[in-house]
Amino acid sequence: MTAPLLDIRGLSLKLRSESGDLPILSDVSLAMNAGEIVGLVGESGSGKSMLAKALVGLPPRNAVVATEHFGFAGVDLAASAAAHAAICGTGIGFVLQEPTLSLNPAMRVGEQLAEALIHHRGLRAGAVLSQRIHAALAAVQIKDPESVLRRYPHEFSGGQRQRLLIAAVMLLEPQMVIADEPATALDVLVGNEILDLLVRHAREKNSGLLLISHDIAQVAHRVDRVMVMDQGSVVENRATSELLRCPAHQRTRSLLAAVPRRAVAEHTADCGRVILEIDQLTVRFQKVRFGWRRAQTREVLSRASLKVHAGETVAIIGESGSGKSTLALAALGLLASASGTVMVDGQTWAQRTGGERIAVRRRVQAIFQDPSSSLDPRMRIEKIVGEGLRHSGLSSRERIDAVHRALHDVGLSSTTWTRYPHELSGGQRQRVAIARALVLSPELIIADEPVSALDVTIQEQIVTLLDTLKREKGFGLLFITHDLAVVSRIADRVIVLRNGQILEEGAASRVLSAPRDPYTRALLACGPRLVPEGSGYRLISGSSDPRQFSHEP
């Protein structure tokens, strides 16, 4: 019998802190063969990401890891830290949930990709290295490689950065890839492509793939076997078809039951005054000039117009790189426009003095797509959430109470309040970012993929919370997402954005049930879905590729 590629038995992990040890993983066992594709699912905080980090030897500094056996490709990694470090990259490739943690902000993309090949594969600068890099970029649907290689990570959208990270991992052709939420930051179109790419690579190279996700439909569509984690333990480990047909554990059943369904509902928001008005907004980015080449501009938003009323949720959907996040930054006054206006409460950002801008920013809060880049790693969670209340006029006791209410509202237990961001899972960090925005009781929230990193159960809670608070407090919500099921739950109006242009706009009930644009119709039809059937679930594969529909500017 062939030995498994990865063989782990009795893995446990705990975090040491001033208040005592906190167990994260308990007696986890995992065996994977070459060419096998395994899905790992569970709620945020169940231990999925911590297990992935332990597998590649990157647990937090305060972690204590113990294991009965840890073998990879016939090598005992538990016996030697050097052997464990040697297999990273070429033996086990790791695709992190948040690409900003892996991409060096001070290095151009080309330098980073070349560095991996030079260090791990011994290649030198030349035609072979260049061909390998161009092929990797093409495989993850990155266009204009020469321009991309000269740019820095911050010049790309979240989805584009994720594709660059995957390209860097695939360059080394590892024996096994651990992909921790690789499609979280991607729209359904690019996400499907990336997941298919990872699966195809595993099949072609006969390598292993551990696919970690909270999207059980995406996982079930592609993997041979599904493992379900709950509170640091593996509670179910079965073939995909068997698990869907008859889920055995209560945690599995709750995860399947919480999968959002696209149910179009009529939203009747009691809209008040216009809080945010964007009129004919155009944003261009200038490409850096190199040598004799002339500097060029790239238009990322073209004559975009929208309004957000008090008590209303406007959802913006579109592909990764379509301009959604650029629109959010412009609305927050953090990005200069080439033309057009952005008005908050009837005034543009430019018309306000410094003091007036500060006052407005307290009433206009943001929830960013990547929580790791927006949370101070040196501050505890309580302090991060309460930082905006320092000049609120509240007493110290009132500020603490407000912070605790906000953290409780987003589903964070008191055990997490005194921890640092790096000690939380990606989903927990996103909940901290949401709590920080809610604690100031803003009039407008601009949420850029606020639930993309959350598991389906917490996602439902957060969407319900945002919708309830919006109706109770009357704030406006500009909700940017690629999850159409979430849009159907929360949106009053929907705007479809592609290549920086608004293709369609209207009431959510109309756009989601009777879209007029071919691209929107195809967008709604793609992506796998789970539907109840008997005591289990049936998987329905998506259809159509919306990008076959072209729109001339």
Side-chain angles (χ1 to χ4, degrees), residues 11 77 80 163 241 266 268 302 333 361 392 442 472 511 513:
L11 175 66
L77 301 184
S80 170
R163 281 184 275 173
S241 57
E266 185 69 43
T268 55
S302 178
R361 291 194 192 284
S392 62
E472 289 178 353
V511 173
S513 61

Side-chain angles (χ1 to χ4, degrees), residues 279-442:
D279 184 38
Q280 296 292 305
L281 178 67
T282 297
V283 176
R284 299 185 182 97
F285 290 154
Q286 189 173 33
K287 294 183 179 180
V288 180
R289 179 177 178 177
F290 290 91
W292 55 269
R293 298 179 180 178
R294 293 182 178 180
Q296 296 178 331
T297 58
R298 180 168 54 95
E299 192 168 274
V300 292
L301 272 181
S302 178
R303 299 184 296 278
S305 298
L306 63 88
K307 292 181 181 179
V308 180
H309 297 79
E312 178 187 37
T313 299
V314 177
I316 300 179
I317 61 175
E319 299 176 16
S320 175
S322 62
K324 304 188 302 294
S325 295
T326 298
L327 182 62
L329 290 174
L332 289 164
L334 301 176
L335 199 64
S337 61
S339 62
T341 57
V342 176
M343 292 190 291
V344 178
D345 271 346
Q347 279 189 301
T348 66
W349 288 104
Q351 291 174 324
R352 290 183 163 93
T353 63
E356 290 173 337
R357 288 189 181 190
I358 292 173
V360 171
R361 291 194 192 284
R362 293 196 187 102
R363 308 201 313 266
V364 180
Q365 290 296 300
I367 304 171
F368 293 106
Q369 180 178 2
D370 184 358
S372 292
S373 61
S374 61
L375 302 179
D376 191 328
R378 300 165 298 178
M379 294 171 62
R380 298 183 189 273
I381 301 307
E382 276 183 312
K383 191 172 181 181
I384 289 173
V385 175
E387 187 178 21
L389 295 173
R390 288 181 302 171
H391 306 292
S392 62
L394 299 176
S395 67
S396 177
R397 182 71 258 173
E398 289 172 331
R399 290 199 302 271
I400 293 173
D401 289 343
V403 168
H404 288 180
R405 281 196 303 271
L407 289 168
H408 182 268
D409 284 344
V410 297
L412 287 173
S413 65
S414 57
T415 59
T416 64
W417 298 351
T418 57
R419 292 158 68 182
Y420 291 94
H422 74 272
E423 297 179 289
L424 304 181
S425 69
Q428 289 172 319
R429 284 194 291 268
Q430 188 67 292
R431 281 182 272 171
V432 172
I434 294 170
R436 181 177 58 182
L438 293 175
V439 76
L440 289 171
S441 300

Side-chain angles (χ1 to χ4, degrees), residues 226-291:
V226 177
M227 297 174 60
V228 181
M229 288 195 72
D230 182 35
Q231 297 182 358
S233 299
V234 176
V235 297
E236 195 155 1
N237 182 4
R238 288 196 293 159
T240 304
S241 57
E242 294 178 6
L243 183 136
L244 291 181
R245 185 171 62 252
C246 185
H249 197 273
Q250 176 57 37
R251 175 56 61 200
T252 310
R253 292 193 291 270
S254 65
L255 286 172
L256 289 167
V259 173
R261 321 291 177 198
R262 292 184 196 171
V264 179
E266 185 69 43
H267 293 265
T268 55
D270 184 14
C271 299
R273 73 187 193 284
V274 175
I275 299 178
L276 173 68
E277 182 174 2
I278 297 175
D279 184 38
Q280 296 292 305
L281 178 67
T282 297
V283 176
R284 299 185 182 97
F285 290 154
Q286 189 173 33
K287 294 183 179 180
V288 180
R289 179 177 178 177
F290 290 91

